[in-house]
């Protein structure tokens, strides 16, 4: 390992030296000075160029030269949300959202939303560059998985120039930035076009192409990050503004004192919440032993006849059973809208191992939420409550996500703040359990007390959105069945025509044979 690191360091040094000597003097005006400076300082960036060109320095230098010129031409370092037309983001053809099964970010290209227009082509290409640069800077070059969602597309959506640009971004401009290209439901009419795309990718990258349909796409992407038309359960619907962002970050007030405009309310209520939710958790464990769910609900109502408190809305019956922790609720945190006013949720973690389990909670919207505790540990066989509360005047969004990370600790490690900090620096990614939770916003025109009662066990009521989603699924299924019926009818008609033609030919042959004999 030490020799490999030394060899890699030597290659990085040689690449920098030769770039300065062979390329920079003649082409300095064709490069952005910020890229040149980064090349001298960022070892990982240079290493990615080398990896992508199999550690051949000459090929690496050519790639650096081409990508640097391209970066200046497209003003990549200056591409921001404000300099691109708003309609590009509103269109929803390109965006980052979700993760594949290996934990890599998904870069979606919804082909049905793309239309060929030479006048808009440059701006659309800059949008691709914006998203790639946005993610590369944020996640330090961690690779992406590209998803070509070709459902409901046809010949009118084929734009080989734009597809080639996307492919070139990964093969020539963003080194070691691609894990795979998942192509969903490619129409047969586009087979010829994608033979050309394979030629652009080259032999090394062809293996990255994964042609899928509804039956096998979950080999690469789990259902929680697939929309319903791909057989998944992700309720995410693209909208703009704001910019879609799944980046999981540490939320506000991580294990520390809460200092905000509602500090007075927080210090008292968080303590009360912790005590009351602990009692709720004990009551939940007892109730789970009983078989009749109706009795559970009635007993809860008897306990709380006088007033149904918002805290009761946190209690959840759904549980994700992971190898280290059981997490309740299993999939969604239910927050009220600004009208219903519910701003707090409870996550219950149960350690099912014989060791201490360290955990931390991250969110895609750290400015909105307070999580307490967000970085702590759970003793063997015990349960721990995490209180998630909206901060200030923020409202929950369907795009918000929470990530719970957990890993086993040695009994002798200690579970203080310094020990936890060091532990998360050293623990291998393969030993970390991850579970994601979505946010669900309860919209209701009913009185708030009724809303709380209906959701007292965190069980969502059917909303118009749910019904609309089910109707959409039924319409899509109906459409596909109709297409299959049409194809069957077409083949049937073709078979009849061919049969009649065969009978005609045979009859004609018999006629010729008969006339020749006579």
């Amino acid at each position: 390992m030490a020799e490999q690191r030394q060899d890699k360091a030597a290659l990085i040094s040689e690449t920098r030296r030769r770039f300065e000597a062979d390329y920079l003097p003649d082409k300095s005006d064709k490069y952005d000075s910020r890229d040149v400076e980064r090349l001298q300082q960022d070892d990982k960036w240079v290493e990615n160029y080398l990896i992508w060109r199999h550690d051949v320095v000459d090929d690496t230098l050519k790639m650096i030269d081409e990508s640097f010129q391209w970066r200046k031409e497209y003003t990549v370092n200056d591409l921001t949300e404000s300099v691109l037309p708003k309609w590009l983001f509103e269109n929803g053809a390109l965006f980052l959202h979700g993760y594949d099964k290996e934990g890599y970010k998904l870069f979606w290209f919804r082909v049905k939303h793309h239309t060929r227009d030479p006048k808009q082509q440059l701006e659309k290409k800059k949008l691709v560059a914006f998203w790639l640069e946005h993610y590369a800077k944020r996640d330090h070059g961690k690779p992406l998985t590209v998803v070509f969602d070709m459902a409901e597309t046809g010949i009118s959506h084929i734009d080989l120039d734009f597809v080639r640009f996307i492919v070139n971004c990964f093969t020539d401009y963003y080194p070691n930035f691609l894990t795979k290209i998942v192509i969903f439901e490619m129409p047969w009419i586009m087979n010829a076009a994608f033979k050309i795309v394979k030629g652009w990718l080259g032999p090394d990258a062809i293996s990255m192409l994964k042609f899928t349909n509804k039956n096998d796409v979950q080999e690469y992407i789990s259902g929680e990050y697939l929309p319903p038309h791909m057989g998944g359960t992700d309720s995410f619907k693209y909208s703009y503004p704001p910019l879609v962002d799944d980046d999981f970050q540490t939320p506000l007030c991580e294990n520390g004192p809460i200092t905000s405009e509602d500090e007075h309310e927080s210090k008292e209520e968080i303590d009360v919440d912790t005590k009351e939710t602990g009692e709720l958790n004990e009551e939940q464990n007892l109730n789970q032993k009983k078989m009749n769910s109706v009795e559970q609900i009635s007993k809860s109502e008897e306990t709380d006849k006088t007033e149904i408190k918002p805290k009761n809305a946190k209690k959840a019956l759904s549980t994700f059973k992971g190898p280290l922790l059981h997490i309740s609720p299993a999939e969604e945190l239910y927050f009220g809208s600004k009208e219903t006013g519910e701003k707090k949720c409870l996550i219950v973690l149960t350690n099912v191992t014989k060791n201490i389990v360290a955990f931390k909670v991250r969110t895609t919207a750290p400015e909105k939420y307070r999580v307490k505790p967000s970085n702590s540990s759970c003793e063997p066989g015990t349960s721990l409550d995490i209180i998630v509360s909206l901060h200030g005047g923020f409202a929950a969004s369907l795009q918000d996500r929470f990530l719970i990370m957990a890993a086993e600790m040695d009994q002798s490690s200690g579970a203080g703040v310094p020990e936890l900090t060091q532990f998360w620096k050293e623990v291998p990614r393969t030993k970390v359990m991850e579970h994601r939770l979505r946010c669900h916003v309860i919209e209701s025109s009913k009185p708030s007390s009724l809303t709380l009662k209906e959701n007292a066990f965190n069980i969502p009521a059917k909303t118009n959105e749910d019904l609309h989603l089910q109707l959409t699924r039924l319409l899509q299924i109906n459409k596909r069945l109709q297409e299959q019926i049409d194809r069957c009818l077409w083949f049937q008609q073709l078979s009849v025509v061919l049969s009649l033609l065969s009978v005609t030919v045979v009859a004609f042959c018999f006629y010729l044979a008969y006339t020749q004999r006579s």
Side-chain angles (χ1 to χ4, degrees), residues 19 37 101 124 183 263 310 367 406 432 466 470:
F19 180 78
E37 184 179 350
K101 284 193 168 181
K124 289 181 178 180
I183 301 167
E263 180 178 4
E367 73 285 354
V432 177
D466 296 328
Q470 290 180 3

Side-chain angles (χ1 to χ4, degrees), residues 293-351:
S293 61
V294 177
E295 287 181 12
Q296 293 175 20
I297 296 170
S298 63
K299 286 203 172 189
S300 174
E301 289 175 349
E302 286 174 13
T303 305
D304 230 339
K305 280 180 182 176
T306 55
E307 183 183 2
I308 298 172
K309 298 183 180 180
K311 286 80 181 176
N312 288 1
K314 318 287 195 308
K315 191 173 178 180
L317 297 177
S318 59
T319 302
F320 166 77
K321 296 183 178 180
L324 305 181
L325 295 175
H326 287 183
I327 301 171
S328 182
E331 295 180 353
E332 293 183 323
L333 296 177
Y334 289 89
F335 289 94
S337 63
K338 285 189 176 180
E339 289 74 25
T340 58
E342 182 57 21
K343 288 192 168 187
K344 293 185 180 180
C345 283
L346 177 70
I347 302 173
V348 180
L349 305 182
T350 303
N351 183 351

Side-chain angles (χ1 to χ4, degrees), residues 31-39 45 75-78:
Y31 305 146
D32 188 319
S33 59
R34 289 167 288 185
D35 292 331
V36 175
E37 184 179 350
R38 182 184 170 192
L39 190 76
W45 202 29
T75 62
V76 172
N77 287 310
D78 296 314

Side-chain angles (χ1 to χ4, degrees), residues 300-417:
S300 174
E301 289 175 349
E302 286 174 13
T303 305
D304 230 339
K305 280 180 182 176
T306 55
E307 183 183 2
I308 298 172
K309 298 183 180 180
K311 286 80 181 176
N312 288 1
K314 318 287 195 308
K315 191 173 178 180
L317 297 177
S318 59
T319 302
F320 166 77
K321 296 183 178 180
L324 305 181
L325 295 175
H326 287 183
I327 301 171
S328 182
E331 295 180 353
E332 293 183 323
L333 296 177
Y334 289 89
F335 289 94
S337 63
K338 285 189 176 180
E339 289 74 25
T340 58
E342 182 57 21
K343 288 192 168 187
K344 293 185 180 180
C345 283
L346 177 70
I347 302 173
V348 180
L349 305 182
T350 303
N351 183 351
V352 293
T353 73
K354 295 180 180 179
N355 296 316
I356 297 172
V357 171
F359 69 87
K360 58 182 177 180
V361 183
R362 310 189 85 185
T363 177
T364 57
E367 73 285 354
K368 286 186 181 183
Y369 297 96
R370 295 181 314 207
V371 178
K372 190 165 183 172
S374 63
N375 184 6
S376 187
S377 61
C378 190
E379 295 291 327
T382 64
S383 294
L384 184 142
D385 297 338
I386 298 174
I387 298 168
V388 181
S389 55
L390 280 162
H391 174 63
F394 285 108
S397 166
L398 293 174
Q399 296 177 6
D400 298 343
R401 299 284 193 274
F402 286 86
L403 172 68
I404 298 172
M405 304 170 67
E408 281 187 281
M409 299 180 73
D410 293 331
Q411 296 286 358
S412 58
S413 299
V417 174

Side-chain angles (χ1 to χ4, degrees), residues 23-304:
Y23 288 86
L24 201 53
D26 299 329
K27 297 185 177 181
S28 60
D29 58 324
K30 295 182 179 180
Y31 305 146
D32 188 319
S33 59
R34 289 167 288 185
D35 292 331
V36 175
E37 184 179 350
R38 182 184 170 192
L39 190 76
Q40 298 303 323
Q41 297 174 355
D42 191 341
D43 289 353
K44 184 64 178 176
W45 202 29
V46 182
E47 185 179 352
N48 282 337
Y49 277 109
L50 285 163
I51 291 170
W52 211 232
R53 289 297 181 260
H54 306 291
D55 289 339
V56 178
V57 175
D58 286 340
D59 293 344
T60 301
L61 289 168
K62 288 178 183 177
M63 183 179 182
I64 292 172
D65 174 47
E66 289 177 11
S67 66
F68 276 24
Q69 290 191 52
W70 173 83
R71 289 174 67 85
K72 184 166 184 178
E73 179 187 351
Y74 278 79
T75 62
V76 172
N77 287 310
D78 296 314
L79 287 178
T80 61
E81 193 178 346
S82 59
V83 302
L84 292 170
K86 187 179 179 182
W87 65 265
L88 277 176
F89 295 99
E90 293 173 336
N91 175 260
L94 292 160
F95 56 89
L96 291 163
H97 172 67
Y99 300 84
D100 69 7
K101 284 193 168 181
E102 297 175 278
Y104 296 112
K105 193 73 174 177
L106 299 176
F107 183 42
W108 292 83
F109 180 23
R110 300 289 302 280
V111 181
K112 74 174 183 178
H113 294 308
H114 176 80
T115 52
R116 284 174 292 177
D117 187 343
K119 294 178 182 178
Q120 299 174 350
Q121 199 76 323
L122 179 60
E123 290 176 326
K124 289 181 178 180
K125 288 178 178 179
K126 285 191 173 185
L127 179 65
V128 175
F130 164 81
W131 276 118
L132 296 181
E133 191 68 12
H134 172 76
Y135 183 69
K137 286 179 177 176
R138 190 186 73 192
D139 233 19
H140 308 292
K142 186 178 177 181
L144 290 165
T145 291
V146 178
V147 182
F148 280 88
D149 180 4
M150 305 187 77
E152 302 177 32
T153 60
I155 193 82
S156 62
H157 297 99
I158 294 178
D159 188 348
L160 287 181
D161 177 57
F162 191 66
V163 172
R164 183 168 193 170
F165 176 81
I166 294 176
V167 170
N168 285 349
C169 283
F170 291 101
T171 58
D172 298 336
Y173 308 140
Y174 283 87
N176 200 28
F177 203 48
L178 179 67
T179 61
K180 66 185 81 68
I181 299 175
V182 178
I183 301 167
F184 179 74
E185 287 193 350
M186 186 181 74
W188 64 269
I189 201 166
M190 293 190 182
N191 281 333
F194 264 82
K195 285 181 180 177
I196 299 172
V197 173
K198 287 182 180 180
W200 297 335
L201 283 169
D204 293 333
I206 285 178
S207 62
M208 296 180 178
L209 282 176
K210 311 295 179 185
F211 292 91
T212 65
N213 54 39
K214 202 169 184 178
N215 296 324
D216 55 16
V217 68
Q218 292 198 35
E219 290 180 20
Y220 308 103
I221 306 166
S222 62
E224 68 174 313
Y225 287 121
L226 289 174
H229 75 271
M230 295 175 75
T233 58
D234 192 356
S235 59
F236 168 80
K237 291 187 175 83
Y238 180 87
S239 63
Y240 179 86
L243 199 66
V244 175
D245 193 349
D246 286 316
D247 182 28
F248 287 105
Q249 300 174 39
T250 302
L252 288 174
C253 311
E254 181 176 7
N255 288 348
I258 297 166
T259 52
S260 65
E261 68 249 25
D262 52 351
E263 180 178 4
H264 178 72
E265 175 267 337
S266 301
K267 286 183 177 178
E268 294 180 3
E269 282 206 21
I270 291 295
D271 291 336
V272 173
D273 283 351
T274 306
K275 190 179 292 183
E276 292 193 10
T277 50
E279 292 170 2
L280 283 171
N281 190 42
E282 290 175 15
E283 183 183 337
Q284 181 182 1
N285 291 335
L286 289 171
N287 286 341
Q288 283 176 342
K289 294 177 182 177
K290 300 183 180 182
M291 299 299 292
N292 194 326
S293 61
V294 177
E295 287 181 12
Q296 293 175 20
I297 296 170
S298 63
K299 286 203 172 189
S300 174
E301 289 175 349
E302 286 174 13
T303 305
D304 230 339

